[in-house]
């Protein structure tokens, strides 16, 4: 069965702090994985994607993610967050396109 | 430029009425998907399609039908709308066979059933 789990429904960090949003997947084989961001009352914007190769992938706005087959994980990271990063972040698995429940990121000034 | 266009963007429907949500993609993608998004949930898959004439049930298909008359168009149909179907609906297209390497989303349709 294919599934995606984001264990943290909400993460609060201070502006300038580092960030990690967790994602665990279940998939038989090598998955294609994505991170999307959704700002309030807006659509979905792609941050980054992983198919194969280097397990650390770079995305837009300073985001990166690291794929781990042994841990079945695809965690999103950012070295220094800005208040404008406050949004909901979705980890997505393909196969068909399966979403985690999302993590709401709140950046405190 | 790759695009997925949903119409209408907002819809108010009456309970028991028929609602059709439309999605058009210009990406020449084989796969298309319909999701709903409710507060506290990610996007949940309702129906999807691998190409014209094909529709498949997703995780939550009850109360919904889908139609894929062409490569470009994929509709979601609520034959008898209920208040529980009040939600935001997203359409997506994907390029893959078994796995999608490129996925584009529409901007969403906000449906309110009163």
């Amino acid at each position: 069965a294919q599934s995606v789990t984001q264990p943290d429904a909400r993460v609060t960090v201070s502006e300038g702090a580092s960030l990690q949003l967790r994602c665990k997947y279940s998939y038989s084989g090598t998955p294609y994985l994505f991170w999307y961001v959704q700002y309030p009352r807006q659509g979905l914007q792609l941050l980054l994607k992983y198919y194969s190769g280097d397990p650390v992938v770079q995305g837009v706005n300073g985001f990166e993610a690291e794929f781990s087959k042994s841990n079945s994980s695809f965690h999103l990271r950012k070295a220094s967050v800005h208040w404008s990063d406050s949004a909901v972040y979705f980890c997505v698995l393909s196969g068909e396109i399966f979403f985690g429940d999302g993590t709401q990121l709140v950046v405190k000034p | 430029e790759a695009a997925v266009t949903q119409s209408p963007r907002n819809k108010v429907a009456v309970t028991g009425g028929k609602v059709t949500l439309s999605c058009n993609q210009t990406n020449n993608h084989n796969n298309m998907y319909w999701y709903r998004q409710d507060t506290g949930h990610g996007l949940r898959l309702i129906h999807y399609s691998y190409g014209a004439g094909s529709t498949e049930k997703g995780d939550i298909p009850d109360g919904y039908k889908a139609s894929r008359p062409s490569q470009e168009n994929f509709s979601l149909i609520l034959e008898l709308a209920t208040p529980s179907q009040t939600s935001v609906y997203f359409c997506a297209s994907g390029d893959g066979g078994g796995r999608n390497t490129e996925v584009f989303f529409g901007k969403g349709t906000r449906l309110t059933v009163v």
Side-chain angles (χ1 to χ4, degrees), chain A residues 13-40:
Chain A
V13 297
S14 298
E15 190 167 25
S18 63
L19 167 72
Q20 177 172 277
L21 302 182
R22 296 184 292 164
C23 172
K24 300 276 284 185
Y25 68 88
S26 175
Y27 186 80
S28 56
T30 300
Y32 291 176
L33 291 157
F34 307 78
W35 275 99
Y36 283 86
V37 61
Q38 186 179 37
Y39 297 99

Side-chain angles (χ1 to χ4, degrees), chain B:
Chain B
E1 182 177 315
V4 176
T5 304
Q6 294 182 228
S7 62
R9 294 294 315 282
N10 291 280
K11 172 77 176 178
V12 178
V14 295
T15 298
K18 182 177 181 179
V19 177
T20 299
L21 306 184
S22 298
C23 179
N24 175 273
Q25 55 109 352
T26 59
N27 310 315
N28 198 32
H29 285 167
N30 289 328
N31 299 346
M32 295 187 75
Y33 304 84
W34 275 107
Y35 299 86
R36 65 178 284 174
Q37 183 179 30
D38 303 295
T39 303
H41 290 277
L43 276 67
R44 292 184 289 176
L45 182 62
I46 306 171
H47 284 288
Y48 58 101
S49 168
Y50 291 129
S54 121
T55 61
E56 306 289 337
K57 293 181 179 179
D59 296 329
I60 53 165
D62 293 345
Y64 302 93
K65 291 172 56 178
S67 174
R68 183 89 180 268
S70 65
Q71 178 82 340
E72 298 79 18
N73 295 295
F74 190 39
S75 297
L76 186 68
I77 303 155
L78 291 66
E79 295 278 5
L80 294 170
T82 69
S84 65
Q85 294 175 312
T86 293
S87 188
V88 180
Y89 292 84
F90 287 93
C91 177
S93 74
D95 65 337
R99 290 181 291 181
N100 297 283
T101 63
E102 183 180 74
V103 181
F104 295 102
F105 289 89
K107 294 184 177 181
T109 295
R110 186 170 295 273
L111 174 65
T112 303
V113 182
V114 298

